[in-house]
Structures are given as C-alpha cells and as structure tokens.
Amino acid sequence: MGYYVQVEPSVNIYVEDINPTSEKVILFVHGWPANHRLFEYQFNVFPGMGYRCIGIDLRGFGQSDKPWEGYSYDRLADDIRVIVDTLGLKHFTLAGHSVGGAIVIRYMGRHRGYGVDKLALFAAAAPSFIQRPGFPYGLQANEVNQLIQQTYDNRPQMLADLTNMFFYRALTPAFKEWFFQLGIVASGYSTANILVTLRDEVLFADVESIQAPTLIFQGIHDQICLPQLASVLHQQIQHSKLIWFEHSGHGLFWEEQEKFNRELLTFLTA
C-alpha cells in the first residue's frame, strides 16, 4: 500500500507500507541516491514473517516531492518524526542504509529515539562521512566534491560509474539498469545537496546519545562508507553488535541478502 504523508506545507513524502496490520514494525530509510525500492529483497521476505515493512522515499528522491531546500540531517530527521507521529508508530525498529543510516542516527539524537525499540545501521555514513582533524577515516572532502561536480555536469554518467563502485559482486546488465533507475528518478539538485550534507555535517554527539540496542552491518569491500566507520560506530554505541559481510561492498542488502535477512531477523527476535 502506497500513500503520502505531508511533512511540511507543500512537501509530501511517499510511504510504501507493506502488511500494515502487523504490530511488528520496521521503518526502512534508504541511502543516496536511491529510494525505498532499495530494500526490495527485504520487502520480499519480512512481511511473510509477520512484519510490517515501511519504506519511505526521502524528500527529493523516488516518488516524494522534490523541494529546493530541506536536505540537512535535522530536516530529514524531522521528516521521519512527522511520519512516525502520523502513523502512530511505537516500539518499532528503525533501519537505515548509508546516508539513511546517518539520518536515523540524527533522529536518535534529535528526537531522543522517540518510539524506537531497536536500531539497525547498514553501512552507515557516520559518525563522519569524510576525514577530519582527529578523525582519519572515511573519504576525503575532494572526493565528495568531485561527485557533486559530476552530478551537475553529467548525472547519468555519475550514476553509471557509481553502480560499479557500489557493489563488490559482478552485476548483470539488467541489475545495473534497475539500480541506475533508482537514482535517475531523483532530482539533480537533491542528489547534489545530500552530498553537501554528507560532506559538511557530523554525528558524533548523536552517536553518543544512542541507548537502543543497535545492529551494525558492514561490507568489508565497501568503497563508499569505508569499513573503519563501522568499527568506530561499534566502539561508540553501547549495546551494539557489528557483523561483517565478507563478500559485499556497499550493497550488502543484495550482495549477501540471505545472510542480511537472517541476521536482521535474529536481531529482531532477540
């Protein structure tokens, strides 16, 4: 079932709500530059196990509205809070991939984990996506700047190049086209503005505030959210568990989907 939630005047967020009568809820937040369909290989499985799977398209992406502004972590976390309040969600698992992981971490800090029983982070872009003084992990700022420029110069080519970087496993042409289409339906300016947020914002205080049991997944071949970030998150989040994916890059939700779904289910039922 798909519908829209208004998060502020003239901004509507698309919500895909599968098995909405279940009280066992997982709210999925996708990464850049995709949309809720990124979790297709989880939506195929978890509703059949009795879970309500809610996938949202972040503003600027997928079927959501694409305003010119509003791409800070604060605003994106506030969008999630409006959705949580509108749907009356309580005692749910909040899950985020890549920048979606960063956004759900900001939600945990900014909204004090409102309604969240458990947190799942998949290759999260946190606590800082880039290297900074005293934080020698992540990409370098100039690498992100190049992606921003490529987005404005030739976004289709940037997305095609990103597809090859995103995954460790060999891809079929059909799968490449599927993934490419996830990104192409976003607006160019939202694609770039999220990169600016990734480059400029940090989540150190938000990470330290997390109290909920937390599951961390990380592909060891990830070239986008480098594996050291997961190690730092595991060290800084109390009650966290880190699981490495030895045959995955950034797309571990598909590359090792059986392990991904099995370990996530174990966490949900613990």
Side-chain angles (χ1 to χ4, degrees), residues 14-260:
Y14 180 77
V15 178
E16 187 72 23
D17 195 344
I18 308 167
N19 196 22
T21 60
S22 174
E23 296 182 356
K24 299 188 295 183
V25 179
I26 315 169
L27 175 58
F28 291 88
V29 183
H30 66 84
W32 175 90
N35 53 60
H36 77 276
R37 292 171 57 203
L38 192 77
F39 296 109
E40 174 177 333
Y41 297 93
Q42 286 65 58
F43 296 162
N44 289 343
V45 174
F46 283 93
M49 298 178 179
Y51 288 89
R52 178 183 182 184
C53 292
I54 302 172
I56 67 171
D57 288 349
L58 296 171
R59 61 170 63 205
F61 296 84
Q63 296 171 247
S64 288
D65 287 344
K66 299 171 175 61
W68 180 250
E69 298 178 328
Y71 298 96
S72 68
Y73 285 151
D74 281 356
R75 180 62 256 181
L76 295 165
D78 289 351
D79 288 352
I80 293 175
R81 176 60 188 268
V82 175
I83 291 168
V84 168
D85 288 341
T86 301
L87 302 186
L89 302 182
K90 298 177 181 178
H91 307 296
F92 65 95
T93 296
L94 183 58
H97 173 258
S98 193
V99 74
I103 294 164
V104 302
I105 288 173
R106 175 55 52 86
Y107 178 91
M108 298 299 291
R110 184 170 172 84
H111 296 286
R112 300 181 182 180
Y114 179 83
V116 177
D117 274 0
K118 294 182 178 182
L119 181 68
L121 305 173
F122 314 136
S128 172
F129 186 57
I130 66 166
Q131 299 175 23
R132 303 178 186 277
F135 189 80
Y137 313 110
L139 300 181
Q140 297 188 16
N142 69 317
E143 295 178 273
V144 183
N145 291 337
Q146 289 173 10
L147 282 172
I148 293 170
Q149 192 60 51
Q150 291 166 9
T151 298
Y152 284 125
D153 290 344
N154 188 340
R155 186 166 67 99
Q157 187 61 54
M158 183 279 291
L159 290 172
D161 294 341
L162 177 72
T163 301
N164 294 325
M165 183 181 180
F166 206 95
F167 298 94
Y168 176 68
R169 283 183 54 185
L171 306 177
T172 63
F175 187 90
K176 285 186 178 183
E177 179 62 20
W178 174 81
F179 185 76
F180 176 84
Q181 290 299 326
L182 297 185
I184 204 67
V185 295
S187 71
Y189 53 84
S190 60
T191 302
N193 285 335
I194 287 289
L195 287 169
V196 172
T197 297
L198 278 164
R199 182 193 64 195
D200 293 348
E201 296 201 38
V202 297
L203 296 144
F204 296 105
D206 305 272
V207 168
E208 292 178 357
S209 73
I210 294 173
Q211 299 296 319
T214 302
L215 179 66
I216 303 168
F217 285 174
Q218 181 64 47
I220 67 171
H221 303 286
D222 198 328
Q223 300 180 65
I224 297 174
C225 291
L226 302 186
Q228 296 95 327
L229 299 184
S231 296
V232 172
L233 287 173
H234 181 45
Q235 292 169 4
Q236 295 184 347
I237 300 175
Q238 298 181 17
H239 314 297
S240 66
K241 180 180 181 180
L242 171 58
I243 297 178
W244 294 103
F245 285 69
E246 298 180 355
H247 307 289
S248 294
H250 199 50
L252 66 173
F253 49 85
W254 172 77
E255 296 184 272
E256 294 183 74
Q257 60 185 271
E258 290 185 6
K259 178 178 179 179
F260 187 107

